[in-house]
Amino acid sequence: MFIIDVAKIADDEWPKLVALLDEAERARAARFAFEADRRAYVAAHALLRASLSERAKWVAPAAWRFGVTPHGKPFLLSPRTGLDVSLSHTRGMAAVAIASGRDVGVDVESFLKPRDALRVAERFFAPEEAAIVRAQSDPQSQSEVFFAIWTLKEAVLKADGRGLAGGLDSFVVKLSPLAVSSDSGESYGVAQWRRAGFFIAAAARGEINFRLMEKHAAALIQAADSFEA
């Protein structure tokens, strides 16, 4: 698991991060209407490429090629390494998960976003999860618990490749201890972290021990420069 705090990226580092992306990603980034969204997108994709190249040191960050499933999950087209990947970004934070030989998913959200947490939870969450949100004493606490549950559910749905099409109420997550239960009998390992105003959650099929590492733009750029030396 890797994260990058977008606010810590210096202005002169952005062109170098953009250079790590392929042509399609650069075009996609240019279409964002707001700079904050564009920067989060660039940070996430640069983080993914540089982190993959740390594992496969013979592949330059810009050389990775990706496809996308019908539900929007990226996968590696080439080179083939047996790695599964997932990425997520929101204004201010980007996160990437990489796993070998198993499906993985990641989600990051700011829990400071204004949202009618209880109304959304009662509409989309499983009844047990909505009850946890309802039990909180004030709107701020409801929002925090809502996003704690939301990020875990998003990570699980990304791990199994369904995305939101899989249905947020098709399984139940528990916060203490962290766990996932579903009628299908699928087993997931999950983890969650809180950084400043963000929740970051990861999930994978089967048991797994996630390790979170914060990356900085300078390290990503230096890793890319090593392929040109």
Side-chain angles (χ1 to χ4, degrees):
M1 274 290 307
F2 306 96
I3 60 172
I4 187 166
D5 186 334
V6 177
K8 293 180 180 179
I9 301 174
D11 288 343
D12 63 349
E13 292 174 322
W14 285 107
K16 298 174 183 178
L17 293 181
V18 172
L20 302 186
L21 277 53
D22 65 18
E23 183 177 348
E25 289 168 335
R26 289 194 292 271
R28 174 72 179 91
R31 291 196 293 270
F32 281 97
F34 298 101
E35 182 72 5
D37 298 324
R38 186 187 72 82
R39 289 191 165 192
Y41 175 92
V42 169
H45 287 260
L47 177 62
L48 175 59
R49 288 175 172 277
S51 299
L52 282 168
S53 291
E54 283 189 0
R55 283 185 171 236
K57 297 184 183 300
W58 62 94
V59 184
W64 296 96
R65 295 294 176 262
F66 300 94
V68 180
T69 69
H71 294 299
K73 183 178 181 180
F75 62 90
L76 282 170
L77 282 175
S78 68
R80 296 186 180 276
T81 59
L83 297 174
D84 192 64
V85 301
S86 182
L87 77 167
S88 180
H89 53 86
T90 190
R91 291 184 178 187
M93 184 69 71
V96 162
I98 302 172
S100 179
R102 67 181 67 217
D103 299 321
V104 68
V106 64
D107 189 52
V108 57
E109 300 284 351
S110 168
F111 58 76
L112 302 178
K113 293 178 180 178
R115 181 183 288 273
D116 187 349
L118 181 57
R119 181 182 62 82
V120 177
E122 289 179 332
R123 180 175 179 184
F124 294 107
F125 284 3
E128 302 95 317
E129 297 162 339
I132 297 173
V133 177
R134 191 182 307 111
Q136 305 308 305
S137 59
D138 59 83
Q140 181 178 344
S141 298
Q142 288 182 343
S143 182
E144 290 192 21
V145 169
F146 170 87
F147 279 110
I149 295 171
W150 179 278
T151 50
L152 285 164
K153 292 177 81 67
E154 278 264 27
V156 170
L157 290 171
K158 287 183 177 182
D160 70 16
R162 293 180 295 168
L164 289 176
L168 285 168
D169 60 351
S170 62
F171 60 95
V172 179
V173 300
K174 297 179 181 178
L175 297 180
S176 183
L178 291 179
V180 180
S181 61
S182 68
D183 293 339
S184 68
E186 289 279 4
S187 175
Y188 295 92
V190 292
Q192 188 171 67
W193 304 266
R194 180 173 172 157
R195 293 291 185 275
F198 300 92
F199 279 120
I200 304 110
R205 292 183 187 273
E207 295 299 319
I208 187 171
N209 290 319
F210 287 102
R211 182 165 59 103
L212 184 69
M213 296 180 61
E214 182 174 359
K215 293 287 190 175
H216 299 278
L220 306 186
I221 294 164
Q222 182 178 9
D225 287 347
S226 68
F227 288 91
E228 301 175 2

